[in-house]
Amino acid sequence: MAQVADHYTEIQAAGADVVTVSFATHYWAEAWLQETQSPFPFLLDPERTAYSAYGLEHSVFRSWNPATLWYYAKAVRRGRETYGERGNRHQLGGDFIIDSLGIVRLAHPSHDPTDRPAMSTILSTLGVGG
Amino acid sequence: MPRLRPGRLAPDLTLYRLAGAPVALSSYWESSRGLLLIFLRHLG
C-alpha cells in the first residue's frame, strides 16, 4: 500500500482516487492509521459484507505460506506490530479498480496475503501517466 | 463464492467511515475517473 501512496498525487491528478476497506475494529483501525499515516479515505466493513460481495476468500491454508511467514518475520524485525494479532488472520484481501459507471476494470483477489497487482498495472488501468 | 470479473457491475454496499457515518461505495467511484478499492488483508 505504501507503493500506492507514493503515486497518490499522480493518481489524484488523473482524476482517480483510492479507498481502503478494513474489517478491523474501530480501535485497531485507528492504531493502524496512526502507524501507517495512510493518506487514503478509510472505510470499515466490520461484518465483512463487502469482502464477501467482492468474492474475497477466507483461507487458513493460503494465509500461512512461506511468503507470508517471511513478510511477518521482516515486519517483526522492523519493530512493526502485525495486525494479525488484532483480527481475523485468514481473511484475504484484494484490489479492484472501478470506473465512474460502477464497472469493474481490474479484479485482483489476493491469492495469499502478499499477493498484489503490479503497480504498473494499477496505474495503467487508472489511466495514470498514459 | 462468486468471482468478480472485469466488465461486471461492482457491488455497491454501505460501509462506515471511522467516525461511524455510513457511506455508499458508489459515492467514491461516481466522483472519480477511476477508483482503486483496496481491501486490506490481515497484514495491513
Side-chain angles (χ1 to χ4, degrees), chain A residues 15 44 51 54 80 96 102 110, chain B residues 7 10-11 16 33 37 40-41 43:
Chain A
L44 288 172
Y51 279 80
Y54 280 75
R80 182 183 162 185
F96 296 85
S110 293
Chain B
Y16 300 90
R33 289 186 56 199
L37 197 54
L40 299 174
R41 21 315 240 168
L43 298 177

Side-chain angles (χ1 to χ4, degrees), chain A residues 14-21 26 32-33 43-44 51 53-56 71-72 80 83-84 88-89 93-100 102-104 107 110 113 115-116, chain B residues 1-21 23-25 28-44:
Chain A
D17 207 351
V18 179
V19 167
T20 49
V21 178
H26 185 276
W32 183 84
L33 286 166
L43 300 178
L44 288 172
Y51 279 80
Y54 280 75
L56 300 175
Y71 185 103
Y72 265 125
R80 182 183 162 185
Y83 293 88
N88 190 313
R89 292 165 184 254
D95 299 78
F96 296 85
I97 291 178
I98 301 163
D99 71 16
S100 59
I103 308 291
V104 176
S110 293
D115 174 35
R116 303 290 308 274
Chain B
M1 196 176 284
R3 281 289 291 271
L4 192 58
R5 297 184 188 284
R8 298 271 176 88
L9 266 179
D12 186 15
L13 294 124
T14 298
L15 301 183
Y16 300 90
R17 292 196 174 96
L18 203 55
V23 59
L25 277 177
Y28 288 98
W29 66 62
E30 284 170 358
S31 61
S32 71
R33 289 186 56 199
L35 178 71
L36 172 61
L37 197 54
I38 301 175
F39 287 87
L40 299 174
R41 21 315 240 168
H42 64 285
L43 298 177

Side-chain angles (χ1 to χ4, degrees), chain A residues 46-61:
Chain A
E47 305 300 325
R48 292 187 276 142
T49 50
Y51 279 80
S52 174
Y54 280 75
L56 300 175
E57 293 182 58
H58 184 262
S59 167
V60 174
F61 176 70

Side-chain angles (χ1 to χ4, degrees), chain A residues 58-111:
Chain A
H58 184 262
S59 167
V60 174
F61 176 70
R62 287 204 264 128
S63 293
W64 294 107
N65 62 19
T68 311
L69 293 170
W70 176 237
Y71 185 103
Y72 265 125
K74 285 194 297 184
V76 169
R77 209 165 51 221
R78 286 197 306 264
R80 182 183 162 185
E81 292 185 67
T82 54
Y83 293 88
E85 302 296 334
R86 306 166 179 181
N88 190 313
R89 292 165 184 254
H90 309 136
Q91 175 64 59
L92 292 166
D95 299 78
F96 296 85
I97 291 178
I98 301 163
D99 71 16
S100 59
L101 299 175
I103 308 291
V104 176
R105 295 300 173 197
L106 174 80
H108 189 105
S110 293
H111 182 73

